[in-house]
């Protein structure tokens, strides 16, 4: 059962984002990107107040670097559609379980260390080249109440 409303075109849009943002991180890495996106929709806090749909989340200004690259604009593939649907259905995993932010430090070939905080929020953990950050309860209690 979906934890956010999602039409077929929303699933396709999220699937394209997962691939463009984290294809090199494998299925779990792409699912973690989906976790962050769904958390942003459900939490209604911090930089994500008023974000209620997948298109709003993806098209929020400066939210995803992948929208600047061609890979995002390719057709969705079935593998990523399945991962997007799993995220929409509420499947979450560490370190994306409560995270609202992630990024890849360093360069593509030479990833750097994860800073202990990002936008003043503590690190939740790292998956391959991406660092994940979850808000403090003071910043966003809602993210811990969404499931």
């Amino acid at each position: 059962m979906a934890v956010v409303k999602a039409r077929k075109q929303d699933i396709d849009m999220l699937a394209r984002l997962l691939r463009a943002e984290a294809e090199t991180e494998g299925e779990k890495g792409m699912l973690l990107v989906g976790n962050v996106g769904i958390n942003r929709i459900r939490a209604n806090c911090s930089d994500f107040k008023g974000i209620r749909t997948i298109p709003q989340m993806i098209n929020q200004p400066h939210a995803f670097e992948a929208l600047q690259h061609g890979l995002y604009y390719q057709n969705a593939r079935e593998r990523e559609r399945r991962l997007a649907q799993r995220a929409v259905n509420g499947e979450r995993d560490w370190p994306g379980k409560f995270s609202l932010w992630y990024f890849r430090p360093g360069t593509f070939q030479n990833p750097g260390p994860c800073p202990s905080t990002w936008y003043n929020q503590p690190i939740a953990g790292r998956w391959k080249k991406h660092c994940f950050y979850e808000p403090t309860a003071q910043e966003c209690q809602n993210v811990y109440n969404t499931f």
Side-chain angles (χ1 to χ4, degrees):
M1 179 124 189
V3 297
V4 297
K5 290 182 182 180
R7 304 164 300 175
K8 180 189 179 308
Q9 60 261 40
D10 298 336
I11 296 295
D12 283 354
M13 189 177 200
L14 183 57
R16 293 185 352 247
L17 180 74
L18 301 184
R19 179 180 178 199
E21 286 280 318
E23 182 176 38
T24 62
E25 305 286 287
E27 287 196 7
K28 180 175 178 176
M30 289 188 282
L31 182 63
L32 294 172
V33 168
N35 291 168
V36 169
I38 299 304
N39 288 345
R40 288 177 177 185
I41 294 168
R42 299 200 69 210
N44 196 33
C45 63
S46 186
D47 297 333
F48 313 107
K49 290 180 181 164
I51 303 294
R52 291 287 157 265
T53 68
I54 289 171
Q56 287 174 337
M57 178 267 295
I58 290 173
N59 291 310
Q60 184 182 22
H62 313 293
F64 297 102
E65 185 178 318
L67 272 66
Q68 300 171 18
H69 306 290
L71 187 57
Y72 173 75
Y73 298 96
Q74 295 179 6
N75 290 332
R77 299 185 304 191
E78 192 55 38
R79 173 186 181 206
E80 288 82 25
R81 281 190 193 102
R82 285 192 304 271
L83 291 167
Q85 188 64 60
R86 286 168 55 189
V88 165
N89 288 348
E91 183 177 333
R92 300 192 309 179
D93 202 356
W94 178 90
K97 189 170 185 175
F98 300 113
S99 294
L100 292 176
W101 301 273
Y102 66 87
F103 86 107
R104 183 180 63 213
T107 65
F108 187 77
Q109 293 82 14
N110 188 20
C114 294
S116 61
T117 60
W118 186 252
Y119 291 103
N120 297 317
Q121 303 306 309
I123 190 165
R126 182 177 196 136
W127 176 254
K128 296 188 178 182
K129 296 178 183 175
H130 283 87
C131 308
F132 289 81
Y133 296 84
E134 50 183 64
T136 63
Q138 293 80 11
E139 175 76 21
C140 186
Q141 182 63 43
N142 276 354
V143 79
Y144 299 100
N145 298 329
T146 56
F147 293 88

